[in-house]
């Protein structure tokens, strides 16, 4: 049996930057164990398996895997899949609706002067949910930083997500951010026992008004460090709006700098009439390769 696959770089406008993504087609007959094995073999931060839609209103269904776990929702696979599928399907519309385990994910496409889809903006399937406050010392240990490096003025370390939960903590400057290193033993001691075990730990620091630099570590999910994490930054943008008050917030995020894979994410958070906070994230997508996997 042969499966067609493609790769793309997401949240970038050039190859070999951003976050690499694998897309696999024709895997409808395969069970979860085999899908996980394929994702592990490809070894990319995330691999999406493109399947026929089951939910009403969806154009296509995605199952998203890291090398170690399946995720209910993820941003860079959603953005990347929307662009790559629009190209593959010769989709003429402005939007695609992706079906994921966490819910429906609408994607709005951006095209170049020739009409080719080159970017997408997706909306998280769920509103912002803020979870437990986390222990400052434990979070510092998870990234091999002194406790004082975890900044408390903006917010304490906490859990938050819009379809996938992340631990989020602020550090004071880019130098401290660059010094962080994931400590697998500390993470294994602390993160799985949280009320909602997070996909990973996002560190962020301000770069100026409306700009942040972030790093995201998720070794327990099979990703030592992620070059660009849409779902985690969605949670961050929602959290910042929650803290600031008001009705809307725009945020530009850079990630992957320390890895040599610079990524740019553009986020927009809004507060609905019922108080719920909804968040969108967008960025560019560049196709890289195509091939086949033999099973």
């Amino acid at each position: 049996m042969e499966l067609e696959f493609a790769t793309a770089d997401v949240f970038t406008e050039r190859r070999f930057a951003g976050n690499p993504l694998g897309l696999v087609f024709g895997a409808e007959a395969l069970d979860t164990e085999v899908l996980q094995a394929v994702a592990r073999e490809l070894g990319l931060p995330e691999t999406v398996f493109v399947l026929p839609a089951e939910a009403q209103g969806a154009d296509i269904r995605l199952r998203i895997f890291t090398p170690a776990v399946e995720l209910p929702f993820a941003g860079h696979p959603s953005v990347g899949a929307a662009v790559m599928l629009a190209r593959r399907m010769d989709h003429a519309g402005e939007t695609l609706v992706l079906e994921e385990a966490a819910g429906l994910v609408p994607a709005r496409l951006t095209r170049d002067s020739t009409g080719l889809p080159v970017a997408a903006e997706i909306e998280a399937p769920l509103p912002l949910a803020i979870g437990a406050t986390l222990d400052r010392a434990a979070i510092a240990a998870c990234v091999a930083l002194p406790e004082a490096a975890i900044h408390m003025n903006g917010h304490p370390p906490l859990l938050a997500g819009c379809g996938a939960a992340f631990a989020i903590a602020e550090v004071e400057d880019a130098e401290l951010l660059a010094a962080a290193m994931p400590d697998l033993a500390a993470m294994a001691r602390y993160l799985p026992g949280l009320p909602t075990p997070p996909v990973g730990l996002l560190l962020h620091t301000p770069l100026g008004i409306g700009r942040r630099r972030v790093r995201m570590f998720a070794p327990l999910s099979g990703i030592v460090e992620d070059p660009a994490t849409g779902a985690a930054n969605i949670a961050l943008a929602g959290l910042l709006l929650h803290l600031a008050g008001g009705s809307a917030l725009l945020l530009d995020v850079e990630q992957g700098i320390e890895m040599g894979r610079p990524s740019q994410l553009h986020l927009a958070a809004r507060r609905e009439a019922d108080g719920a906070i909804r968040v969108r994230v967008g960025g560019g997508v560049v196709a890289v390769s195509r091939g086949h996997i033999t099973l």
Side-chain angles (χ1 to χ4, degrees):
M1 179 180 183
E2 282 196 340
L3 302 176
E4 182 185 350
F5 80 93
T7 67
D9 291 331
V10 183
F11 294 125
T12 182
E13 296 179 354
R14 63 180 177 87
R15 286 181 177 85
F16 314 128
N19 199 352
L21 172 70
L23 301 99
V24 179
F25 307 91
E28 291 86 343
L30 302 181
D31 62 23
T32 298
E33 183 178 358
V34 176
L35 299 184
Q36 184 66 76
V38 171
R40 186 165 53 248
E41 178 69 18
L42 290 178
L44 298 168
E46 278 126 340
T47 297
V48 297
F49 294 88
V50 181
L51 306 167
E54 295 179 350
Q56 185 174 3
D59 293 300
I60 205 80
R61 182 164 66 100
L62 303 181
R63 292 186 68 180
I64 304 169
F65 290 79
T66 76
V69 297
E70 183 173 6
L71 301 177
F73 163 67
H76 114 268
S78 301
V79 169
V83 170
M84 296 293 284
L85 289 171
R87 294 182 184 184
R88 180 184 175 90
M89 298 160 58
D90 198 21
H91 181 71
E94 294 183 357
T95 62
L96 277 173
V97 179
L98 311 173
E99 178 187 348
E100 302 182 18
L104 297 184
V105 177
R108 185 175 65 191
L109 301 166
T110 298
R111 299 174 186 271
D112 66 13
S113 59
T114 70
L116 183 72
V118 293
E121 181 185 61
I122 61 102
E123 180 161 315
L126 297 173
L128 175 70
I130 297 176
T133 297
L134 306 178
D135 183 81
R136 183 188 189 191
I139 290 297
C142 286
V143 288
L145 290 175
E147 183 176 348
I150 304 300
H151 202 41
M152 301 291 284
N153 291 346
H155 66 87
L158 49 72
L159 293 173
C162 298
F166 290 84
I168 301 178
E170 184 174 4
V171 297
E172 191 156 356
D173 55 40
E175 185 176 349
L176 280 170
L177 187 69
M181 294 186 299
D183 186 315
L184 182 59
M187 289 186 172
R189 284 194 303 269
Y190 183 63
L191 297 181
L194 294 175
T196 303
V199 175
L201 169 56
L202 179 83
L203 297 182
H204 65 97
T205 194
L207 295 178
I209 297 174
R211 296 177 59 231
R212 298 261 160 171
R213 180 179 290 180
V214 313
R215 297 178 72 185
M216 202 289 290
F217 305 106
L220 301 183
S221 296
I223 306 168
V224 176
E225 182 173 359
D226 204 28
T229 317
N233 284 296
I234 280 172
L236 174 61
L239 172 63
L240 294 177
L241 177 58
H242 168 77
L243 295 169
S247 60
L249 178 143
L250 298 177
L251 180 66
D252 288 331
V253 167
E254 60 181 51
Q255 188 176 347
I257 307 303
E258 296 79 6
M259 303 176 68
R261 295 194 66 99
S263 306
Q264 295 290 327
L265 299 87
H266 308 292
L267 298 113
R270 69 183 188 278
R271 194 183 305 271
E272 305 274 61
D274 62 1
I277 292 176
R278 295 274 183 177
V279 188
R280 305 189 308 271
V281 64
V285 179
V286 181
V288 176
S289 68
R290 298 176 63 181
H292 291 85
I293 301 167
T294 302
L295 297 180

